[in-house]
């Protein structure tokens, strides 16, 4: 099959067999007037196909519609960010504390925070079954419906039981919808832009934070119970937006193909990725061939109870091990300490006014999102591995500096306390620039389609289980050892840097299906470096050729 692009290049798309590593099996490009350069591998075919069919023009109706689709999906991440910050802000309100008889740092507070995490842990079961059974869209719809129900119960709670029950439902719904959103967005985005869109998905965590922090400031100044009820109730807003529009979005092409709807899958891919909505476009044909080569029509994704595929082979275990790395250090780098308990940290640093604590929480949310968006813009240029190492090194340094500034050693002063607060904010900026875009992107990239829904669900379960350390362990730790808590996270970040350096592979410029050749090699990290190096050299040569042609 061939396709003529705007520059009169003819792109030949060779058939691919299941399990192949997409080595060159045919001539990819034939220039009508200038020679016949051969493509060496699938990456060249994909690049040339993208040049011939670059997709919908920016600012066209179809492109704007796609952006709006992505924003609807991003509401699932916004829900998750909303919760941690809104409860942190509500926890600083005396109206809330008096109504339920709580203290800012206590065992009861740990239960209120932690039951959300318990709900997220329980979301493992629907999140691993429903996306493969009823599709990604309807799983998001169901999950957000549960979330809205939980927000209503918690907002109108008259006793601790209702509050805890509502928080559990909120965690259950958020976990279910969030896992489905990652699978869905991974599978509808083009390989050339997937990193940016997945980074945006996780960056919306901070949109939820900003909204939660912002609305908590004016409501917190009221002397009624609506000071805390209204912010909890408004947590349902992002979920309602998703519920209202997600059913109108197209289903995942990969999921449709796995259910036997091949023509429908091709039509959706063409509508989303092709300039002319042409199912015969080389870009669409390559994407379909990837799906054909890697999706088993009777695989483990059809058996909701079967998780053996995640651990059956060394390659599968390595893949999920990388997901576990993201779960562990994406939650235990010190970020959970700040996300959930910033008002307590500010109080220990000398900021005793609850109103000022909430204002500073808003500032932290805004600066954190700036860092996340910066990382999102860099992830496709810098690469995943380097960004992960950067974030971990910065986290280690940040925790050490804050511990030193807030310790009782040396002369205490307002300037020193303010410096400690400043470095808390800077920590979140640098953490967000690396870990935030990667938490959604990297696990979805390293998991094969057959295991993606279950893998992301299990990875989400690991994330939630690890988060229990933050929600249940940090309040008593902050009360007992205060500033020394930062030192614990600093030491753990050092361990993370070593683990990442030894095991994390680079996935930049590799398609989801191309990852097979990396993980089936004896040394996946080394193999990923080789592919990345070859891609860089190929890009340089092709750029030199284009410049030479332009001068000629």
């Amino acid at each position: 099959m061939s396709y003529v692009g705007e520059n009169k290049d003819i792109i030949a798309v060779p058939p691919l067999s299941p399990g192949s590593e997409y080595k060159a099996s045919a001539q990819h490009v034939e220039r009508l007037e200038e020679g016949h350069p051969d493509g060496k591998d699938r990456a060249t075919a994909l690049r040339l196909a993208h040049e011939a069919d670059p997709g919908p023009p920016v600012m066209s109706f179809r492109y704007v519609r796609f952006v709006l689709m992505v924003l609807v999906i991003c509401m699932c991440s916004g829900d998750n960010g909303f919760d941690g910050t809104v409860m942190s802000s509500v926890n600083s309100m005396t109206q809330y504390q008096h109504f339920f008889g709580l203290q800012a740092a206590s065992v009861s507070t740990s239960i209120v925070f932690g039951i959300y995490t318990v709900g997220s842990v329980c979301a493992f079961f629907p999140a691993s079954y429903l996306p493969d059974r009823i599709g990604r869209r309807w799983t998001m719809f169901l999950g957000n419906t549960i979330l809205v129900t939980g927000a209503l119960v918690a907002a109108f709670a008259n006793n601790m039981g209702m509050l805890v029950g509502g928080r559990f439902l909120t965690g259950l719904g958020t976990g279910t919808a969030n896992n489905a959103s990652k699978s869905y967005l991974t599978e509808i985005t083009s390989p050339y832009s997937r990193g940016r869109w997945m980074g945006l998905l996780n960056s919306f965590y901070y949109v939820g934070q900003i909204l939660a922090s912002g609305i908590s400031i004016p409501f917190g100044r009221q002397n009624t119970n609506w000071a805390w009820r209204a912010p909890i109730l408004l947590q349902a807003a992002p979920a309602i937006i998703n519920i209202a529009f997600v059913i109108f979005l197209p289903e995942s092409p990969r999921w449709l193909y796995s259910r036997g709807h091949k023509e429908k899958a091709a039509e959706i891919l063409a509508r989303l990725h092709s300039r002319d909505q042409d199912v015969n476009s080389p870009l669409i044909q390559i994407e379909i061939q990837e799906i054909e080569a890697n999706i088993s029509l009777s695989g483990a994704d059809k058996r909701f109870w079967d998780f053996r595929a995640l651990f059956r082979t060394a390659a599968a275990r390595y893949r999920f091990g990388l997901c576990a790395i993201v779960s562990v250090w994406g939650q235990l780098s010190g970020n959970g300490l700040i996300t959930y308990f910033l008002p307590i940290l500010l109080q220990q640093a000398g900021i005793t006014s609850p109103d000022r604590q909430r204002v500073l929480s808003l500032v932290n949310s805004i600066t954190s999102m700036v860092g996340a968006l910066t990382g999102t813009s860099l992830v496709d240029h810098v690469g995943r591995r380097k960004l992960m190492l950067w974030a971990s090194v910065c986290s280690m340094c940040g925790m050490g500096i804050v511990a030193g500034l807030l310790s009782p050693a040396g002369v205490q002063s307002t300037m020193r306390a303010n410096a400690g607060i400043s470095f808390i904010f800077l920590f979140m900026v640098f953490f967000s620039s690396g870990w935030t875009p990667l938490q959604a992107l990297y696990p979805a990239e390293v998991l094969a389609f057959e295991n993606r829904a279950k893998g992301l669900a299990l990875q989400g379960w690991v994330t939630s289980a690890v988060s229990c350390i933050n929600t249940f362990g940090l309040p008593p730790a902050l009360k007992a050892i205060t500033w020394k808590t930062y030192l614990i996270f600093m030491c753990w970040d050092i361990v993370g840097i070593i683990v990442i350096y030894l095991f994390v592979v680079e996935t930049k410029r590799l398609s989801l299906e191309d990852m097979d050749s990396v993980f089936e090699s004896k040394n996946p990290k080394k193999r990923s470096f080789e592919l990345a190096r070859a891609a860089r050299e190929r890009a340089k040569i092709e750029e030199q050729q284009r410049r030479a042609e332009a001068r000629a």
Side-chain angles (χ1 to χ4, degrees):
M1 179 177 293
S2 63
Y3 185 84
V4 181
E6 288 182 336
N7 59 354
K8 297 183 180 180
D9 287 345
I10 299 177
I11 311 299
V13 185
L16 299 174
S17 59
S20 69
E21 295 181 6
Y22 301 104
K23 299 299 182 183
S25 59
Q27 187 175 4
H28 297 308
V29 177
E30 297 178 356
R31 293 190 180 276
L32 296 179
E33 299 179 353
E34 312 174 0
H36 302 273
D38 290 332
K40 294 296 182 183
D41 53 22
R42 180 203 159 275
T44 299
L46 181 61
R47 181 189 63 78
L48 294 170
H50 187 263
E51 287 181 356
D53 187 359
V58 177
M59 299 312 297
S60 65
F61 174 75
R62 282 200 297 136
Y63 186 84
V64 172
R65 183 175 60 184
F66 180 77
V67 172
L68 293 176
M69 285 175 52
V70 173
L71 292 178
V72 170
I73 304 307
C74 287
M75 293 299 109
C76 296
S77 183
D79 286 331
N80 200 19
F82 198 107
D83 181 85
T85 302
V86 77
M87 287 309 301
S88 178
S89 297
V90 165
N91 192 49
S92 69
M93 297 179 183
T94 55
Q95 305 93 317
Y96 164 81
Q97 294 172 7
H98 292 161
F99 188 88
F100 289 106
L102 298 173
Q103 296 179 358
S106 64
V107 174
S108 297
T109 298
S110 297
I111 294 174
V112 173
F113 277 87
I115 196 64
Y116 173 90
T117 306
V118 173
S120 298
V121 170
C122 293
F124 164 74
F125 299 102
S128 61
Y129 170 67
L130 293 177
D132 286 331
R133 179 65 178 176
I134 65 176
R136 279 61 164 144
R137 294 179 309 151
W138 286 104
T139 303
M140 284 185 276
F141 181 91
L142 179 61
N144 281 313
T145 301
I146 296 173
L147 188 158
V148 171
T149 303
L152 289 171
V153 172
F156 293 100
N158 292 320
N159 52 61
M160 181 62 72
M162 284 185 67
L163 178 64
V164 170
R167 296 277 298 147
F168 174 84
L169 290 176
T170 302
L172 178 66
T174 300
T176 302
N178 201 30
N179 276 289
S181 70
K182 294 176 183 178
S183 293
Y184 181 83
L185 195 57
T186 301
E187 294 163 7
I188 67 166
T189 49
S190 167
Y192 276 85
S193 59
R194 182 173 295 122
R196 293 192 298 273
W197 293 122
M198 292 300 292
L200 180 65
L201 172 65
N202 228 39
S203 296
F204 251 71
Y205 180 94
Y206 294 112
V207 173
Q209 277 199 345
I210 291 171
L211 291 175
S213 301
I215 63 177
S216 295
I217 294 171
F219 280 110
R221 293 167 181 167
Q222 298 183 12
N223 293 321
T224 67
N225 286 327
W226 280 105
W228 60 268
R229 291 188 189 275
I232 294 177
L233 181 63
L234 288 174
Q235 183 177 2
I240 291 173
I241 294 174
N242 183 270
I243 291 170
F245 296 103
V246 72
I247 58 175
F248 300 108
L249 305 185
E251 187 51 86
S252 160
R254 284 176 169 82
W255 184 82
L256 287 172
Y257 186 94
S258 71
R259 296 302 178 191
H261 304 292
K262 300 181 182 180
E263 294 183 358
K264 183 65 174 177
E267 290 174 3
I268 292 174
L269 284 174
R271 191 161 67 246
L272 296 177
H273 299 170
S274 174
R275 178 190 60 220
D276 303 315
Q277 304 187 57
D278 184 4
V279 294
N280 295 318
S281 161
L283 182 64
I284 305 307
Q285 290 300 308
I286 288 176
E287 291 180 349
I288 289 294
Q289 289 162 5
E290 287 180 342
I291 296 174
E292 290 175 347
N294 288 272
I295 290 182
S296 171
L297 296 180
S298 59
D301 55 309
K302 308 300 181 300
R303 302 186 294 273
F304 74 91
W305 46 266
D306 189 0
F307 285 81
R308 291 175 297 175
L310 288 171
F311 307 100
R312 182 175 293 123
T313 65
R317 291 190 292 272
Y318 200 111
R319 288 175 186 262
F320 188 75
L322 294 178
C323 295
I325 288 174
V326 173
S327 292
V328 173
W329 280 277
Q331 297 298 314
L332 295 181
S333 291
N335 53 306
L337 179 69
I338 297 171
T339 300
Y340 286 99
F341 303 106
L342 181 59
I344 298 175
L345 302 181
L346 294 174
Q347 185 176 32
Q348 292 181 349
I351 307 297
T352 57
S353 167
D355 187 67
R356 190 180 176 194
Q357 291 172 4
R358 289 189 286 272
V359 171
L360 290 175
S361 293
L362 174 61
V363 173
N364 176 64
S365 299
I366 295 173
T367 54
S368 296
M369 185 172 183
V370 171
L373 293 177
T374 301
T376 298
S377 66
L378 294 175
V379 69
D380 281 332
H381 301 285
V382 176
R384 285 56 160 159
R385 177 183 163 89
K386 289 181 180 178
L387 208 58
M388 201 179 294
L389 281 170
W390 159 260
S392 294
V393 170
C394 290
S395 297
M396 176 197 68
C397 295
M399 288 289 100
I401 292 172
V402 173
L405 290 171
L406 298 185
S407 71
V411 179
Q412 302 296 311
S413 66
T414 302
M415 182 178 296
R416 179 173 171 175
N418 289 337
I421 295 170
S422 299
F423 273 98
I424 288 175
F425 288 178
L426 285 174
F427 166 88
M428 284 305 298
V429 171
F430 289 112
F431 171 89
S432 302
S433 67
W435 277 113
T436 297
L438 291 175
Q439 287 186 61
L441 170 63
Y442 197 74
E445 283 188 327
V446 299
L447 290 168
F449 174 85
E450 185 183 31
N451 298 326
R452 188 169 299 141
K454 288 187 176 69
L456 288 176
L458 186 57
Q459 190 246 349
W461 181 87
V462 173
T463 300
S464 298
V466 169
S467 295
C468 289
I469 297 175
N470 288 328
T471 53
F472 287 106
L474 288 182
L478 287 170
K479 189 174 183 179
I481 60 177
T482 60
W483 64 274
K484 295 177 184 177
T485 309
Y486 295 98
L487 293 179
I488 296 175
F489 283 107
M490 183 191 74
C491 295
W492 186 240
D493 286 333
I494 294 174
V495 177
I497 293 169
I498 297 172
V499 171
I500 292 168
Y501 180 81
L502 293 176
F503 298 107
V504 167
V505 305
E506 180 56 71
T507 62
K508 178 185 174 183
R509 292 192 179 98
L510 298 179
S511 76
L512 299 177
E513 284 72 20
D514 276 343
M515 296 303 298
D516 287 346
S517 64
V518 172
F519 291 107
E520 290 174 3
S521 65
K522 293 183 179 179
N523 190 330
K525 186 181 74 169
K526 182 179 178 181
R527 177 60 176 161
S528 71
F529 291 167
E530 292 172 351
L531 292 177
R533 190 182 307 111
R536 288 195 302 270
E537 293 174 355
R538 184 171 53 247
K540 290 179 182 178
I541 293 172
E542 291 166 352
E543 180 64 25
Q544 291 172 357
Q545 290 175 344
R546 282 194 291 268
R547 290 179 179 177
E549 292 168 2
R551 288 195 298 267

